[in-house]
Amino acid sequence: MNRPTHADDVTRGPLGPPPGPGSAPRRALAAVLGELRAVDGALYAAVAATSTPTLDRALRRLSHAADHSKLSLGIAAALAPSGARARRAALVGVAAVAVASAATNLLGKRLVHRARPDREAARVTVDRYVPMPASASFPSGHTAAAVAFATAVGVVLPEAAVPLGVLASAVGYSRVHTGVHYPGDVAAGAVLGIASAAAALAAATSAPAPGRARQPSTFTAW
């Protein structure tokens, strides 16, 4: 009987060579991501299939109002004349929106090129439609900006935390309801918004307060 050759060992089995040591974790990760995408798609389909004619118009208008963070900027403008603390909250909130917008558009959407949902295939009712953005779906920029603003303002102005948090949640849901985002896009946008608010708050804390005299330099030019 002939002894098996090296080539016989390499090609043994119907799938060829045995998997390398790193392939099992990669397969497990791919399986988990695939299942998460399936859950994400199922949630999107469930929202699309639920008839809510009373909510459709309100959520469509809310989604429109949040375009380009107009809603958050309008609230900031209303807060600014209401005292020093409210003015500081408005400034930090606007800074958080700027950080969230930059992180979403310059980083998130360029790293994850997720296609927008197919509203027609999911049978989203036309009454919910807002313009479908041309940018990538992941993460939700509307949600990131709204959550960033609500979080930053809520830290400086705690009495505004709950109403702004509810409003930000409604903005995030409106993006799924109108069919332009998957729930996972909104969840990622919320996480990004919280991180953006933390960055803006940290920068505001490290900056000297307005009107405070700067410490003289220990180095004097003669």
Side-chain angles (χ1 to χ4, degrees), residues 171-197:
V171 168
Y173 174 74
S174 76
R175 302 303 283 172
V176 179
H177 193 85
T178 55
V180 297
H181 276 294
Y182 293 102
D185 304 333
V186 170
V191 172
L192 184 58
I194 293 171
S196 300

Side-chain angles (χ1 to χ4, degrees), residues 44 47-48 116-119 124 128-130 132-133 173-182:
Y44 178 87
V47 172
R116 293 278 175 174
D118 188 342
R119 284 192 295 199
V124 176
R128 300 182 183 183
Y129 276 23
V130 295
M132 180 67 78
Y173 174 74
S174 76
R175 302 303 283 172
V176 179
H177 193 85
T178 55
V180 297
H181 276 294
Y182 293 102

Side-chain angles (χ1 to χ4, degrees), residues 69-98:
S69 299
K70 294 192 299 287
L71 192 58
S72 296
L73 296 178
I75 294 171
L79 285 174
S82 304
R85 193 161 61 97
R87 184 163 51 252
R88 180 170 179 268
L91 290 173
V92 174
V94 171
V97 168

Side-chain angles (χ1 to χ4, degrees), residues 60-216:
R60 187 179 70 242
R61 288 179 174 175
L62 177 61
S63 186
H64 269 306
D67 286 347
H68 309 294
S69 299
K70 294 192 299 287
L71 192 58
S72 296
L73 296 178
I75 294 171
L79 285 174
S82 304
R85 193 161 61 97
R87 184 163 51 252
R88 180 170 179 268
L91 290 173
V92 174
V94 171
V97 168
V99 174
S101 298
T104 299
N105 295 304
L106 300 180
L107 186 63
K109 291 184 183 291
R110 294 189 178 187
L111 290 177
V112 184
H113 303 282
R114 189 181 196 184
R116 293 278 175 174
D118 188 342
R119 284 192 295 199
E120 293 183 2
R123 297 183 179 179
V124 176
T125 178
V126 177
D127 291 340
R128 300 182 183 183
Y129 276 23
V130 295
M132 180 67 78
S135 60
S137 188
F138 185 96
S140 168
H142 284 64
T143 306
V147 170
F149 182 80
T151 303
V153 172
V155 169
V156 180
L157 207 63
E159 56 268 33
V162 171
L164 289 180
V166 171
L167 181 61
S169 299
V171 168
Y173 174 74
S174 76
R175 302 303 283 172
V176 179
H177 193 85
T178 55
V180 297
H181 276 294
Y182 293 102
D185 304 333
V186 170
V191 172
L192 184 58
I194 293 171
S196 300
L201 287 164
T205 302
S206 63
R212 180 182 296 176
R214 297 186 64 176
Q215 294 296 325

